[in-house]
Amino acid sequence: MSQISFRRVSVELDAARIPEDGSRPTDVSFDLDRVNIATHVSFSLADESEGPGTAFFLALRVVIDNQATDESDLRFSPYLVDIEAGAVVRALPGAEVLGDIQDIIVVNGTSLLWSAIREQVCTLTARMPAGQIMLPTVNFHDLRQQKRGEEAQGKAPAAKPKPGPRRKATRTADT
């Protein structure tokens, strides 16, 4: 991965969720369990011929917008978050023996971008009124094309992790 950059950074206190008297929220070390976290992933072949292997441009956008849903156990974050990061990710020659190149790029590259966004959210919220929040650890195996194809053919999906944050993922390819 190279040339990682943030294209959008917005973290703000959700004024609708703070106490009316202006006091600091009681849950200073808020965890994002049962909070809807939307992720949007896009990738395309990069126009970069420099270096070995195939280069892709990968982008990840993370959004916590506290929109109400019909889920009764839903929690709201003290912050509204909208952050997008992008990077050039290169598949080195020979990587195709490990699996589908696009799946490797999307799953591993998105995980690296998630880590950068996670660190940015921690840094930005550390001095904000509701205290620091940290995005949960997640994996992006659900973005693999091969897995979606197996599920469509009626094969049993892999075991799902225990409930935690509700991450809704979308993947778009511009290849």
Side-chain angles (χ1 to χ4, degrees):
M1 178 175 283
S2 63
Q3 301 176 6
I4 186 171
S5 62
F6 286 91
R7 307 170 138 239
R8 169 193 332 248
V9 177
S10 175
V11 178
E12 61 184 274
L13 190 65
D14 187 352
R17 310 273 182 241
I18 59 172
E20 289 183 18
D21 63 1
S23 64
R24 186 179 180 115
T26 57
D27 192 356
V28 175
S29 60
F30 187 86
D31 70 29
L32 295 174
D33 186 39
R34 300 187 330 261
V35 170
N36 277 333
I37 302 171
T39 57
H40 308 280
V41 178
S42 62
F43 72 101
S44 60
L45 200 55
D47 295 333
E48 186 179 311
S49 60
E50 190 176 303
T54 308
F56 293 86
F57 180 76
L58 182 65
L60 172 63
R61 183 176 177 196
V62 176
V63 178
I64 301 173
D65 60 9
N66 282 343
Q67 295 298 314
T69 67
D70 57 354
E71 297 178 45
S72 62
D73 67 340
L74 182 69
R75 290 176 65 207
F76 295 102
S77 166
Y79 299 109
L80 301 175
V81 176
D82 190 352
I83 297 182
E84 182 177 3
V88 173
V89 182
R90 186 173 301 281
L92 297 177
E96 62 277 353
V97 300
L98 300 173
D100 181 77
I101 291 297
Q102 288 186 1
D103 283 348
I104 292 170
I105 293 294
V106 169
V107 172
N108 294 335
T110 303
S111 296
L112 293 169
L113 287 173
W114 178 269
S115 295
I117 290 172
R118 186 175 189 235
E119 179 183 4
Q120 191 69 256
V121 168
C122 283
T123 300
L124 292 171
T125 60
R127 293 186 179 263
M128 292 182 77
Q132 183 180 46
I133 62 170
M134 180 181 296
L135 294 174
T137 57
V138 295
N139 70 60
F140 290 91
H141 292 283
D142 56 334
L143 296 177
R144 289 181 19 225
Q145 289 178 351
Q146 181 180 7
K147 180 178 178 186
R148 286 197 313 272
E150 290 172 358
E151 290 173 2
Q153 294 173 7
K155 294 183 182 177
K160 295 189 177 189
K162 60 184 177 178
R166 290 173 165 71
R167 185 181 62 83
K168 296 180 180 178
T170 59
R171 171 181 168 167
T172 3
D174 300 326
T175 56

